[in-house]
Amino acid sequence: MTAIQKNTFSSLTPAQFAAIGTEFDAIRNRMRADLGERDAKYIRTMIKRQRQFEVAGRVMMMIPPVWPAGVAALSVSKILDNMEIGHNVMHGQYDWMGDPSLNSKNFEWDSADTSKNWKITHNYEHHTYTNVLNKDHDIGYGLLRMSTDQKWEPRFLANLPLTVLLHTFFQHFVAVQNLKLEEVMIYKTKTPAQLKEEFKPVWKKMRKQLAKDYVLFPLLAGPMAPMVFAGNVLANLARNIWACAVIFNGHFPEDVEQFPESVIENETRGQWYVRQLLGSANFSGGKLMHIMSGNLSFQIEHHLFPDIPAHRYAEIAPEVRAICEKHGLPYKTGSFSRQTLSTWKRIAKLSLPSGKSGKISPRMANEKLVVPMALAA
């Protein structure tokens, strides 16, 4: 049997882009019109459960026989806070409720990163320029080579160990992402004085988080301080590794595409939707997997509709897949382990000068194919 040839970004016509834009807009408008009590009840229930896990975890970590359960509960609390609550609330998914505590402008999370910086690097830069080289800093976080089109440098030989480091200290790497440390340490396009000034608000939030987990709560535990200190280390580590893995699986499996800057010139609504679609990937799992990933297991739907409450992505997904099939576009999904393996293969291949992995999409502009420089060479 001959495999069905899928459309690519460059093979779609302007009329097809327009039709795709109209169809995705229709889903978004219908969902926005349907927001109500079901969504409000969901997010308030999640917050209630997160707080219950946090209290239970912090108490149990002071009782030796149930210390492991306490660490597990605090880990769950931190993951819920960052993934299903913080990430989604700060996307403005619940601004319509009129609840100041759930408004994206006011919300602050249990992370070293300030909400203000996160909304710039993630909400604006990443979601506007998804997988566009030199525009989306999430492509390697200034640390890793994640694209064939990135010029190889000797430092990329450390791609794999640096990825382990990034997973381990993910909240802190995200906290300093807006500083773009590579501009000071490698490319010398920013001065140490500029970096010092930009770091002040970041350090203020980092210091608050470190004091809470490693000074305040251990002191409150009295003689159990070492156990609480160690439990907080492990809970933060669990949250860091899980959050980083979820995000990497959503954008870096080998079949996820990246784009040259030319793709965003005069980009239409339909082209924006298709770029989000081709630049993201899902992973499968049960309801618990979806909740613990902040429903970023539906990364495709999240990038198409970032301001729709994430718990609705599961019901939107069949419609998105049907639109993909109708227009011959790939819908990239797989098990968590498959997407993880594919991501690490990409990272390993790109650590080498000759390494190639992933795909750079050219674009159609004015009916003429524009080929990225790296592919034309």
Side-chain angles (χ1 to χ4, degrees), residues 65-286:
V66 293
W67 182 83
V71 174
L74 187 61
S75 301
V76 170
S77 164
K78 285 178 176 286
I79 288 170
L80 285 176
D81 176 273
N82 284 191
M83 306 299 287
E84 185 66 328
I85 302 170
H87 172 270
N88 294 332
V89 168
M90 289 194 289
H91 260 295
Q93 294 178 5
Y94 298 95
D95 284 1
W96 56 272
M97 289 172 60
D99 182 341
S101 68
L102 291 172
N103 191 287
S104 58
K105 294 179 180 177
N106 308 322
F107 195 87
E108 193 59 68
W109 58 354
D110 181 11
S111 170
D113 192 18
T114 67
S115 60
K116 180 181 177 182
N117 283 344
W118 185 86
K119 282 182 278 191
I120 294 172
T121 56
H122 183 87
N123 275 9
Y124 175 66
E125 291 183 0
H126 173 59
H127 275 269
T128 302
Y129 304 114
T130 305
N131 279 25
V132 176
L133 294 169
N134 302 318
K135 300 292 285 186
D136 181 1
H137 197 255
D138 276 20
I139 302 177
Y141 293 83
L143 192 68
L144 310 173
R145 184 175 185 238
M146 298 297 284
S147 167
T148 302
D149 220 29
Q150 269 177 286
K151 183 182 177 183
W152 185 85
E153 300 170 24
R155 66 188 175 106
F156 295 131
L157 287 170
N159 245 18
L160 285 173
L162 285 174
T163 303
V164 173
L165 197 67
L166 184 60
H167 279 66
T168 304
F169 298 99
F170 189 58
Q171 67 162 331
H172 294 102
F173 275 108
V174 172
V176 300
Q177 186 180 4
N178 73 309
L179 304 180
K180 296 184 171 55
L181 297 180
E182 70 275 14
E183 293 180 356
V184 178
M185 301 173 68
I186 299 167
Y187 304 120
K188 312 300 181 187
T189 55
K190 181 188 290 187
T191 67
Q194 285 177 290
L195 178 65
K196 183 179 179 181
E197 190 62 29
E198 293 173 6
F199 184 60
K200 286 180 181 177
V202 177
W203 174 236
K204 184 178 179 182
K205 179 70 188 295
M206 277 186 172
R207 191 172 56 202
K208 181 180 177 183
Q209 289 297 116
L210 291 169
K212 183 186 73 171
D213 279 342
Y214 302 124
V215 178
L216 176 61
F217 281 110
L219 284 176
L220 290 175
M224 300 300 171
M227 294 176 59
V228 170
F229 184 95
N232 283 333
V233 170
L234 293 177
N236 281 321
L237 179 63
R239 181 270 315 278
N240 289 348
I241 292 173
W242 176 249
C244 192
V246 167
I247 291 167
F248 271 45
N249 283 1
H251 289 297
F252 303 133
E254 291 194 286
D255 58 351
V256 172
E257 297 181 34
Q258 295 164 336
F259 305 87
E261 285 186 60
S262 60
V263 81
I264 56 176
E265 294 170 10
N266 302 315
E267 187 177 49
T268 66
R269 181 78 170 161
Q271 289 170 333
W272 181 87
Y273 273 127
V274 173
R275 178 163 57 81
Q276 303 298 324
L277 178 73
L278 300 179
S280 307
N282 290 358
F283 55 83
S284 55

Side-chain angles (χ1 to χ4, degrees), residues 280-342:
S280 307
N282 290 358
F283 55 83
S284 55
K287 187 174 181 180
L288 181 61
M289 171 77 91
H290 298 319
I291 291 174
M292 295 302 285
S293 69
N295 279 285
L296 294 180
S297 44
F298 295 101
Q299 190 73 246
I300 292 172
E301 285 71 22
H302 173 58
H303 266 265
L304 294 173
F305 314 109
D307 60 347
I308 297 295
H311 73 100
R312 287 179 175 251
Y313 293 154
E315 62 188 80
I316 295 173
E319 292 186 70
V320 172
R321 187 188 283 261
I323 291 173
C324 288
E325 291 175 357
K326 177 182 176 182
H327 295 281
L329 289 167
Y331 184 87
K332 296 157 185 170
T333 188
S335 67
F336 185 87
S337 58
R338 177 184 179 277
Q339 302 296 56
T340 301
L341 180 61
S342 178

Side-chain angles (χ1 to χ4, degrees), residues 345-357:
K345 282 171 65 179
R346 180 180 206 151
I347 293 167
K349 289 178 182 176
L350 290 171
S351 67
L352 302 174
S354 58
K356 293 183 178 179
S357 182

